Amino acid sequence: MPGSFSTTTLQITTGSTETVTDLTAACERFLQQSANGRDGLLNVFVPHATAGIAVIETGAGSDDDLLAALHTLLPSDDRWQHRHGTPGHGRDHVLPALVPPHATLPVIGGRLELGTWQSVCLVDTNVDNADRQVRLSFLGC
């Protein structure tokens, strides 16, 4: 079916601190341009070995809680075998096992179907690389 797949890449600068970046508005803008009112699936993918995609609540402290939990689970110390970069950088390479580098979300009538408090977020604990790409792909019917 012609026109049933479209994709784009977002360029995101996360800065020099661990971050949770809300991508929901960018996802919605992409769907306005590509879904044309159709049902389908939105895939959000970050092609980096040290970042992930989470669907969580933001703005009420949950994003900070996520970073704190990741710090507890994956401390920035010298325990990691992967040792290049800043001290503790090996933890960043384990992050995608806990926060996967992708999410596939339902699109109904051209709109992202998230729960009331859900947001699509880039989770980046790697302070060595502030430039990230996020690929958005819509497969519609």
Side-chain angles (χ1 to χ4, degrees), residues 3-75:
S4 64
F5 178 80
S6 57
T7 189
T8 192
T9 302
L10 305 174
Q11 303 296 325
I12 307 290
T13 301
T14 57
S16 60
T17 60
E18 299 175 0
T19 61
V20 175
T21 303
D22 192 337
L23 304 173
T24 309
C27 292
E28 291 170 344
R29 282 190 301 273
F30 170 69
L31 289 171
Q32 286 174 349
Q33 297 170 358
S34 61
N36 298 318
R38 294 177 293 157
D39 296 345
L41 296 171
L42 173 68
N43 183 264
V44 184
F45 175 71
V46 56
H48 298 282
T50 58
I53 300 294
V55 178
I56 63 169
E57 178 181 9
T58 59
S62 297
D63 35 357
D64 291 331
D65 289 342
L66 174 59
L67 291 175
L70 289 172
H71 231 331
T72 299
L73 292 169
L74 304 171

Side-chain angles (χ1 to χ4, degrees), residues 16-19 49-52 64-99 123-128 132:
S16 60
T17 60
E18 299 175 0
T19 61
T50 58
D64 291 331
D65 289 342
L66 174 59
L67 291 175
L70 289 172
H71 231 331
T72 299
L73 292 169
L74 304 171
S76 297
D77 58 24
D78 64 357
R79 74 182 68 201
W80 307 102
Q81 299 299 311
H82 188 102
R83 295 186 187 266
H84 76 83
T86 58
H89 174 64
R91 75 183 284 260
D92 302 323
H93 287 275
V94 177
L95 172 78
L98 300 175
V99 181
V123 179
D124 187 3
T125 59
N126 181 0
V127 299
D128 292 337
R132 298 301 189 166

